Amino acid sequence: MQELRILILEDYPPDAELAMLELEENGLEFASRVVDNEEDFLRELNEFEPQVILSDYKLPTFDGISALKLVRGKFPEKPFIFVSGTFREDFAVETLKKGATDYVLKENISKLPFAVKRALKEVEKTLKRERAEKALKNSEMQYRTTINALDDMLIVVDSRMHIILFNKTFERKKKEFGMGKALKGQNMFEALPFLPENLKQEYLRIFETGESLINEYSYSVNGVEVVEEVRRIPVFEEGKVVRVLTIIRDVTERKNSENRIKASLNEKEALLKEIHHRVKNNMQIISSLLNLQSTQVRNEDDAELFKASQDRVRSMALIHSKLYQSDDLSSINFSEYITSLAYGLLSSYDVSSSVRLNLDLEDLSLNIETAIPCGLIINELLTNSIKHAFPNDEGEIYINLRELEGDKFQLIIGDTGQGFPEDLDFQKTDTLGMQLVMSLINQIDGKIEFEKDKGSKFKIIFGKLEYEERI
């Protein structure tokens, strides 16, 4: 028997070794190659000629979706299984729509051997089906034996919807459902009354247009819930559709597995929402404690320090509040966040009636890794303008946010106030607020520019920070 060849796209060697060990312990004999970049992946894809591909979702210089596109362009049926540490429901659905065979979470790596074996069986079934379809085009006599070897059910109807052929798998399934009467020559919709009502119209459309159809159907037969993938292929004679070949695959087990995964993902999503909710509540408690403590402080400068700390905690609590309310638990609508934060600060300092707020914000989202430091930066610069820019308590603060090319963003925060003193270098000031701003700018790998143009204006260019797994 030819040895199985597996290509592994993984940038963390221990994970690749763990996957191989799991396969070996489950009796799979194979040769493998491990790569972590596009160049090596393409080379091994052509030279090693793997029969199965295991891929992480995201790597430093490459990603699983791009690898999947490359594979599907050359090898439409080759098994491609994602093995990832984190996999949200929308990512799982996206990968399956783009042609992935399956996906396995690294925390459930014990399921990998079953996924590989199932994928190989699916390939074998697909090859059998393709051979059957090719045989059908050549000669009816040649494909009779072949179609009876299929694990999928097969049935052929003519333009009157009469059953003229079905294979042994279909006949066996018919008996399992207690349908003992003969089907050949019968009208399909009379012989199989459990079929959906709209199915007849779909068959008529195939006879009219000559186009194939692929659908999934769910129905109950004798109390048994069944989910089937149905391929309907027109058969032509002299340019006219005379028969429709229907290939039916039972995907009930696969659908049940997908539903279990979806339920598990929903459970984890609910847990993550609860975590964000509790973090937000804890930060609000910290803010309240700071407020209570500040009432005991006699010195105004010390009281200001407490209020500044309270505002910083609120800016972070607002991030978790937005995440809790968001459908996407990994990112928030940052324009909505800025709006809430800015008006909250004006109200906090009781200047909302005298200081105008001019917001020009693109509708975009940032992940939590980027949103928290950006939120703190905005909090510090806005607070600075509110406290120091307007000696007469009147003026305007403006904020501009837009996305640039190359996954970069531009944030502008300015005011029409009295501006910074001429001899003050904002990058070397000894105030905690500006020191915090400069530290956070470095954290998001950003650049900051300062202009004195009828007030103060800060322009910040930054990119999204990627999530780094904590140990």
Side-chain angles (χ1 to χ4, degrees):
M1 183 177 179
Q2 187 179 11
E3 187 177 44
L4 179 64
R5 297 183 300 280
I6 300 178
L7 178 57
I8 303 175
L9 180 59
E10 173 61 67
D11 63 314
Y12 188 57
D15 282 352
E17 292 174 4
L18 186 60
M20 289 187 287
L21 181 61
E22 194 67 32
L23 294 174
E24 289 173 352
E25 289 181 349
N26 279 269
L28 282 170
E29 297 181 2
F30 62 94
S32 63
R33 301 282 174 83
V34 181
V35 297
D36 61 1
N37 60 75
E38 182 177 0
E39 181 180 352
D40 292 343
F41 180 79
L42 285 172
R43 186 188 66 249
E44 296 296 346
L45 190 62
N46 294 318
E47 296 179 4
F48 184 52
E49 298 182 344
Q51 294 156 294
V52 177
I53 297 169
L54 308 180
S55 174
D56 198 352
Y57 187 79
K58 192 169 185 62
L59 296 90
T61 62
F62 196 33
D63 65 270
I65 292 295
S66 297
L68 176 61
K69 289 180 181 178
L70 292 172
V71 172
R72 286 294 168 259
K74 294 183 177 181
F75 311 102
E77 301 296 340
K78 191 180 293 292
F80 192 107
I81 301 173
F82 278 99
V83 183
S84 180
T86 55
F87 225 64
R88 297 201 318 269
E89 180 181 349
D90 53 341
F91 284 162
V93 173
E94 179 191 10
T95 57
L96 291 176
K97 285 183 177 179
K98 291 185 176 180
T101 308
D102 207 343
Y103 50 90
V104 175
L105 293 173
K106 289 182 179 179
E107 64 185 26
N108 292 327
I109 197 66
S110 61
K111 296 183 179 180
L112 181 59
F114 303 101
V116 170
K117 292 176 181 178
R118 184 168 60 243
L120 291 172
K121 287 182 179 179
E122 290 291 326
V123 169
E124 185 178 359
K125 286 183 179 180
T126 299
L127 292 175
K128 286 183 179 180
R129 185 175 67 248
E130 289 175 351
R131 287 194 294 268
E133 293 172 358
K134 184 177 180 181
L136 181 64
K137 294 177 182 178
N138 295 330
S139 168
E140 184 174 332
M141 290 298 294
Q142 293 177 351
Y143 72 68
R144 282 185 181 273
T145 303
T146 307
I147 63 173
N148 284 327
L150 285 172
D151 293 327
D152 298 332
M153 292 180 282
L154 184 146
I155 185 171
V156 180
V157 297
D158 61 17
S159 58
R160 297 178 301 164
M161 304 299 166
H162 286 182
I163 300 170
I164 60 175
L165 178 70
F166 52 86
N167 68 348
K168 290 185 180 296
T169 304
F170 184 88
E171 186 174 17
R172 184 170 61 251
K173 186 65 68 173
K174 172 177 72 78
K175 291 179 179 179
E176 289 178 7
F177 288 149
M179 296 183 292
K181 67 178 181 178
L183 294 180
K184 191 169 183 180
Q186 299 293 316
N187 182 287
M188 180 170 66
F189 294 94
E190 294 176 0
L192 308 173
F194 54 83
L195 294 177
E197 294 182 3
N198 63 336
L199 195 61
K200 187 173 183 178
Q201 296 301 320
E202 293 181 2
Y203 271 91
L204 290 174
R205 188 163 68 249
I206 296 172
F207 279 104
E208 290 174 2
T209 65
E211 296 179 354
S212 298
L213 283 178
I214 302 176
N215 302 96
E216 279 189 3
Y217 296 100
S218 176
Y219 50 85
S220 179
V221 180
N222 296 335
V224 179
E225 189 69 24
V226 179
V227 184
E228 293 175 339
E229 178 188 86
V230 181
R231 294 173 178 261
R232 280 160 288 172
I233 305 164
V235 180
F236 293 85
E237 284 184 7
E238 299 180 355
K240 182 181 179 181
V241 181
V242 294
R243 292 181 293 276
V244 174
L245 164 67
T246 302
I247 301 174
I248 306 166
R249 173 172 296 180
D250 189 337
V251 293
T252 307
E253 183 180 348
R254 188 185 78 190
K255 284 296 178 182
N256 289 340
S257 297
E258 290 176 1
N259 290 336
R260 286 194 293 270
I261 292 172
K262 186 180 293 187
S264 176
L265 289 171
N266 289 339
E267 182 181 342
K268 291 178 180 178
E269 183 176 292
L271 177 60
L272 192 54
K273 276 195 171 187
E274 179 63 20
I275 290 172
H276 284 306
H277 184 57
R278 293 193 180 191
V279 169
K280 179 210 58 168
N281 288 346
N282 288 338
M283 285 188 167
Q284 286 178 337
I285 291 172
I286 294 171
S287 177
S288 298
L289 290 173
L290 289 170
N291 184 50
L292 287 173
Q293 188 66 51
S294 67
T295 62
Q296 307 298 316
V297 177
R298 305 291 184 188
N299 186 288
E300 290 188 6
D301 291 338
D302 292 340
E304 281 296 317
L305 292 176
F306 273 95
K307 180 165 179 54
S309 296
Q310 189 177 358
D311 289 339
R312 289 163 188 148
V313 172
R314 282 176 179 168
S315 75
M316 291 186 287
L318 185 57
I319 295 281
H320 290 278
S321 177
K322 294 292 184 184
L323 282 168
Y324 171 71
Q325 299 168 18
S326 172
D327 291 332
D328 179 2
L329 294 175
S330 65
S331 61
I332 64 168
N333 186 310
F334 204 62
S335 56
E336 292 182 359
Y337 169 79
I338 291 176
T339 302
S340 299
L341 179 63
Y343 280 106
L345 284 171
L346 290 182
S347 176
S348 174
Y349 284 91
D350 198 23
V351 294
S352 55
S353 60
S354 57
V355 176
R356 297 182 303 279
L357 199 57
N358 185 352
L359 302 179
D360 182 11
L361 310 172
E362 283 190 8
D363 188 19
L364 54 86
S365 296
L366 293 180
N367 58 25
I368 188 173
E369 310 293 320
T370 312
I372 287 180
C374 284
L376 286 169
I377 291 170
I378 295 169
N379 176 80
E380 296 302 323
L381 296 180
L382 279 179
T383 301
N384 187 71
S385 292
I386 292 170
K387 291 171 61 177
H388 305 297
F390 310 111
N392 298 323
D393 292 334
E394 290 187 358
E396 179 180 281
I397 295 175
Y398 54 91
I399 306 175
N400 175 278
L401 176 68
R402 63 190 181 95
E403 187 170 3
L404 307 177
E405 294 181 355
D407 292 328
K408 294 291 184 181
F409 302 89
Q410 176 181 278
L411 174 66
I412 295 175
I413 302 176
D415 60 62
T416 60
Q418 62 183 352
F420 272 49
E422 292 292 335
D423 58 346
L424 180 64
D425 184 351
F426 78 95
Q427 297 191 46
K428 297 181 179 178
T429 179
D430 58 358
T431 63
L432 176 61
M434 291 309 298
Q435 289 178 358
L436 181 60
V437 168
M438 297 311 300
S439 175
L440 293 169
I441 291 291
N442 291 331
Q443 182 179 328
I444 60 175
D445 195 23
K447 295 180 181 179
I448 185 169
E449 297 178 3
F450 175 68
E451 298 179 15
K452 296 179 180 179
D453 181 19
K454 298 180 182 180
S456 300
K457 177 181 176 182
F458 291 91
K459 181 167 76 172
I460 301 167
I461 307 294
F462 65 96
K464 282 185 181 180
L465 294 180
E466 296 299 329
Y467 173 78
E468 294 183 5
E469 188 172 351
R470 278 74 166 174
I471 298 177

